[in-house]
Amino acid sequence: MDRNSTIGLVLIGLIITVFSVMNQPSEAKIKAAQKREATPSQKADQKNKPSTNKSNTRSNAPSAASQVVQKGELSVIENKELRIELNSKGGQLAGVYLKSYKNYKDFAAQKDNALCLFEDGDAQNQLVLSTPKGKIYTKDYLFDLVKRNKKMAVFEAKFNEGTIRQTYQLPNDGHDLSYKIEVTDNKGFILENTVLNWAADFKKTERLFSEQRRVSTICFDQAESGLDYLSETSSESAQAEENINWVAFKQSYFSAILHPSNPFPKKGTKFYIESFKEGHPQAWTHLKGYHATMALDFQNNQASFNWFFGPNDYEVLKSYDSGYDDILNFGWGLFRWINIYAVQPIFNLLLQNGMAIGWAILVLTLILKTILMPVQWKMFVSSVKMRILKPEIDELNAKYAKQEDAMKKQMEMMTLYRESGASPLAGCVPMLIQMPILLAVFRFFPAAFELRQQGFLWANDLSSFDSILDFGFHIPVYGDHISLFTLLMAGTTLAYTYMNSGNMQQPQQPGMPDMRIIMYIFPFMMIFFFNNYSAGLSYYYFISTLLSIVMMLLIKYFFVNEDKLKAKMAERKANNAANPKVKKKSKFQERLEEMQRQQQEMLKNRKK
């Protein structure tokens, strides 16, 4: 390679390195920070932290009859799937626990604790009620627990302007929580100006903290435009431009979705996602701060909602028939369609038949590679044809070595390709057909809930990295461990590159990079890029590349006879040479000849 190419590759490497360092903190750093955050005094501060709501939390309504309190009492309701903690201060939803799931720490330690989305002190849902004298913020007031059983709790608070009743109720099983707000004896509440402030700071639940945080955000379904969401990488706020059907506080594998009976009116509805930077007291224990202010549409002095607290499982979300599954990051456009209508159904069918997760990925890969086998066949035949023509191409390169002969050389090469039945683009087009599937799968496995805490071979959790050796220290860009599936993936990619390197031609123009060197660098870059990625994704790419190698060898030794193909190409070339009028020139070749003629005239004029 020349100097410019080398500099270009070095710059690309530096950009990737800087990006990785900035976006992925080390596990060692995370563990150290977690120890600092886990001190009893900090936990106490966390419980008594200021409200995450940005609005003024003091009531401007001195006529309010209910008592302003600093602390309330917790009550618990539960069913087979959920344990819900409720706080009498504000009659608020305080904590949510998913009984069927564990966070990674408990999973690794084999502890049977319910997964906590957020606990008391991490969340609030308060009403902001307008009165002629000002506003009342219900989170400041003590609500009476007037009715309670195992699955239901009713809170009431009496004000001079009326009575506020909040009812929480669980079904026998499932991930739904019914929430109803009622205003009785209304003497001064201006309900059309009432808003609901919902905020929560989700706790860390996965091993890949950086990846879990990277895909966490607020999603909201607009009445006309459909799904929209805030930034996944930085703090952002947004004002609703349409009525909102539902709001989702989303992280990598679990979400909380609030769905009103009547859409939230756009006026007064807004959202804010807060990224916790280094130095924030929750930087290493919580994902992000979620904030939503939603205008309410009261009907007969009532507003009803359904809360979903559960997994980002495609089948579960799809069953609600409300577009919840749109929050899954399966990619956009064509890539999402491939995942939803091809990859996901096949994968689910395999799992429903009792197949282990690792074998299901293997069979899925076999199915996809079988579908793409005609494409790979076409690519291989094209590469063989180009290899057969290589000596003649080298002769043309030597014959037209001068820059001013570039157009003439291109015309003769096109004639050579046409007469022999070969084309350099014949191998590119099949590759373009494969790319959507490769890119779709790149989004599918990190988002697939089915991989979460499922082991295979040496990997105990395919949704996380598979470490076969922990260093105890952090290597910049690479990490603090060795992922074996990543090494196997890079090794098979290197072998596949070597097998195809004979088909890559040396650059003929000065300054053009040598593609063979670039292709050899790529497998080594994958070691750094995928070391902290989902083991399921690395495992898929390893199997996929290995199958590509096997298919290439089978085609080469059992289905494509290179000598017969060479003879067939020579015969075709001879027939075309003997009958030049059989095939007329293509429009592209005619344009190329015209460009050559104009170029030659320009050269003649310069010499004059």
Side-chain angles (χ1 to χ4, degrees):
M1 295 198 319
D2 64 4
R3 185 180 63 180
N4 293 335
S5 301
T6 304
I7 293 173
L9 288 174
V10 170
L11 288 175
I12 291 172
L14 286 174
I15 291 171
I16 293 173
T17 300
V18 171
F19 180 82
S20 301
V21 170
M22 291 177 63
N23 287 276
Q24 188 159 329
S26 68
E27 286 293 316
K29 193 174 182 182
I30 291 174
K31 291 175 183 177
Q34 285 175 332
K35 290 180 180 178
R36 293 196 302 270
E37 298 302 327
T39 61
S41 61
Q42 287 173 324
K43 286 186 176 180
D45 292 341
Q46 179 67 20
K47 291 287 184 181
N48 298 307
K49 69 176 184 178
S51 166
T52 52
N53 181 34
K54 304 302 179 185
S55 64
N56 178 19
T57 59
R58 294 180 301 171
S59 173
N60 294 318
S63 62
S66 290
Q67 181 183 3
V68 178
V69 295
Q70 295 296 321
K71 187 177 180 180
E73 295 183 356
L74 292 181
S75 302
V76 175
I77 59 175
E78 57 186 323
N79 64 7
K80 293 180 180 179
E81 297 291 342
L82 296 174
R83 186 171 86 247
I84 304 295
E85 291 181 351
L86 303 167
N87 197 326
S88 60
K89 181 184 177 182
Q92 297 181 99
L93 177 66
V96 173
Y97 297 81
L98 306 181
K99 294 182 177 181
S100 299
Y101 306 99
K102 306 175 184 178
N103 63 35
Y104 181 79
K105 185 177 180 180
D106 289 336
F107 167 73
Q110 297 183 341
K111 293 182 179 179
D112 193 20
N113 297 325
L115 182 144
C116 177
L117 282 184
F118 52 84
E119 60 185 354
D120 186 32
D122 290 335
Q124 70 171 34
N125 57 292
Q126 71 157 340
L127 292 170
V128 182
L129 295 153
S130 294
T131 73
K133 297 180 180 180
K135 292 184 177 180
I136 294 177
Y137 298 84
T138 59
K139 79 176 188 64
D140 293 333
Y141 294 90
L142 181 67
F143 278 65
D144 295 322
L145 182 60
V146 297
K147 184 178 180 181
R148 177 178 173 271
N149 57 39
K150 186 177 181 180
K151 296 184 179 65
M152 183 181 69
V154 181
F155 294 91
E156 277 190 1
K158 295 183 182 298
F159 299 87
N160 291 339
E161 292 81 6
T163 300
I164 305 298
R165 174 181 292 176
Q166 298 183 84
T167 302
Y168 299 88
Q169 186 166 6
L170 290 169
N172 291 330
D173 56 16
H175 297 93
D176 298 316
L177 172 66
S178 173
Y179 176 46
K180 183 165 70 172
I181 302 168
E182 299 173 89
V183 179
T184 59
D185 302 324
N186 187 6
K187 302 172 183 177
F189 290 127
I190 306 172
L191 295 184
E192 57 267 26
N193 294 335
T194 302
V195 299
L196 173 65
N197 284 346
W198 177 32
D201 301 339
F202 276 13
K203 298 176 71 69
K204 172 189 175 183
T205 61
E206 309 303 317
R207 185 183 191 182
L208 282 169
F209 190 25
S210 58
E211 178 67 12
Q212 186 183 13
R213 173 173 283 172
R214 189 184 66 80
V215 299
S216 299
T217 189
I218 295 177
C219 302
F220 45 95
D221 186 56
Q222 302 172 112
E224 297 179 5
S225 303
L227 185 75
D228 199 357
Y229 56 91
L230 300 185
S231 172
E232 294 179 331
T233 57
S234 62
S235 299
E236 187 184 16
S237 61
Q239 185 82 34
E241 297 180 354
E242 303 174 18
N243 292 347
I244 303 300
N245 293 326
W246 49 260
V247 179
F249 289 178
K250 170 187 170 288
Q251 51 122 308
S252 55
Y253 291 116
F254 298 94
S255 290
I257 304 175
L258 183 61
H259 193 156
S261 297
N262 301 309
F264 297 119
K266 65 179 181 179
K267 184 179 180 181
T269 297
K270 54 188 176 181
F271 313 101
Y272 172 65
I273 188 77
E274 178 185 6
S275 294
F276 297 144
K277 304 297 183 182
E278 189 170 353
H280 191 283
Q282 295 173 301
W284 304 105
T285 57
H286 293 70
L287 297 173
K288 291 180 180 179
Y290 300 78
H291 310 266
T293 298
M294 297 154 290
L296 299 183
D297 181 12
F298 278 91
Q299 299 291 326
N300 298 321
N301 293 334
Q302 295 183 3
S304 300
F305 314 84
N306 184 78
W307 246 313
F308 168 84
F309 299 105
N312 292 339
D313 185 309
Y314 176 78
E315 296 298 330
V316 173
L317 296 177
K318 185 69 175 177
S319 66
Y320 283 82
D321 196 27
S322 297
Y324 291 174
D325 53 296
D326 289 341
I327 70 174
L328 297 179
N329 194 1
F330 280 162
W332 53 271
L334 176 62
F335 309 124
R336 184 176 184 84
W337 298 338
I338 290 172
N339 281 327
I340 290 178
Y341 299 114
V343 179
Q344 178 75 32
I346 296 172
F347 194 52
N348 276 349
L349 180 63
L350 296 173
L351 294 177
Q352 289 169 4
N353 287 328
M355 190 173 293
I357 189 77
W359 294 109
I361 294 176
L362 174 61
V363 174
L364 172 66
T365 311
L366 281 169
I367 293 172
L368 293 177
K369 296 304 290 186
T370 301
I371 294 172
L372 292 173
M373 189 171 182
V375 175
Q376 187 153 357
W377 179 294
K378 185 73 174 178
M379 290 174 61
F380 180 78
V381 172
S382 175
S383 68
V384 172
K385 288 182 177 180
M386 294 303 296
R387 187 166 60 248
I388 292 172
L389 292 179
K390 191 175 184 301
E392 296 180 65
I393 293 173
D394 291 340
E395 289 180 7
L396 290 175
N397 288 327
K399 181 179 179 181
Y400 300 104
K402 296 180 180 181
Q403 182 67 29
E404 55 266 25
D405 294 331
M407 195 74 70
K408 189 179 296 184
K409 177 179 69 175
Q410 187 66 28
M411 288 183 59
E412 295 220 17
M413 281 189 176
M414 290 186 63
T415 301
L416 176 64
Y417 293 146
R418 188 182 70 252
E419 291 180 349
S420 59
S423 172
L425 297 178
C428 298
V429 174
M431 177 60 73
L432 293 176
I433 296 174
Q434 289 190 87
M435 286 303 294
I437 295 179
L438 294 174
L439 295 176
V441 173
F442 181 78
R443 291 308 324 157
F444 174 77
F445 283 110
F449 185 82
E450 293 83 356
L451 269 64
R452 186 179 185 270
Q453 295 181 2
Q454 297 296 314
F456 182 66
L457 299 178
W458 56 84
N460 67 340
D461 183 359
L462 286 173
S463 70
S464 176
F465 55 82
D466 57 309
S467 176
I468 59 168
L469 177 64
D470 294 323
F471 300 142
F473 57 89
H474 179 71
I475 300 176
V477 182
Y478 185 66
D480 61 356
H481 63 276
I482 295 176
S483 172
L484 182 53
F485 275 132
T486 299
L487 291 180
L488 292 173
M489 174 187 64
T492 52
T493 304
L494 185 64
Y496 187 74
T497 301
Y498 175 77
M499 293 176 64
N500 287 278
S501 61
N503 302 324
M504 299 179 192
Q505 298 181 23
Q506 289 278 9
Q508 302 300 323
Q509 301 296 330
M512 293 292 291
D514 190 337
M515 289 302 297
R516 292 182 300 181
I517 295 178
I518 295 177
M519 294 302 293
Y520 277 123
I521 291 175
F522 180 68
F524 292 101
M525 292 175 61
M526 293 173 70
I527 295 176
F528 294 90
F529 186 72
F530 283 87
N531 194 57
N532 292 298
Y533 259 61
S534 159
L537 181 64
S538 299
Y539 169 58
Y540 167 80
Y541 279 138
F542 161 60
I543 294 297
S544 178
T545 310
L546 185 63
L547 288 174
S548 294
I549 293 173
V550 172
M551 290 170 64
M552 181 179 290
L553 293 175
L554 289 174
I555 293 171
K556 179 178 181 179
Y557 290 107
F558 296 99
F559 296 101
V560 175
N561 188 313
E562 189 168 331
D563 292 333
K564 289 184 178 180
L565 183 60
K566 186 176 181 179
K568 186 177 180 180
M569 290 174 64
E571 181 182 356
R572 174 171 176 165
K573 184 179 178 182
N575 290 336
N576 286 327
N579 302 284
K581 294 184 179 180
V582 172
K583 280 193 175 182
K584 65 178 183 179
K585 297 176 183 178
S586 65
K587 291 183 178 180
F588 178 75
Q589 189 170 9
E590 290 177 353
R591 288 196 297 267
L592 198 62
E593 289 179 350
E594 178 61 23
M595 289 172 63
Q596 182 194 16
R597 186 187 63 76
Q598 293 177 2
Q599 185 183 43
Q600 289 175 345
E601 289 181 358
M602 289 175 61
L603 289 173
K604 289 179 181 179
N605 293 332
R606 285 178 185 176
K607 291 178 181 179
K608 292 179 180 179

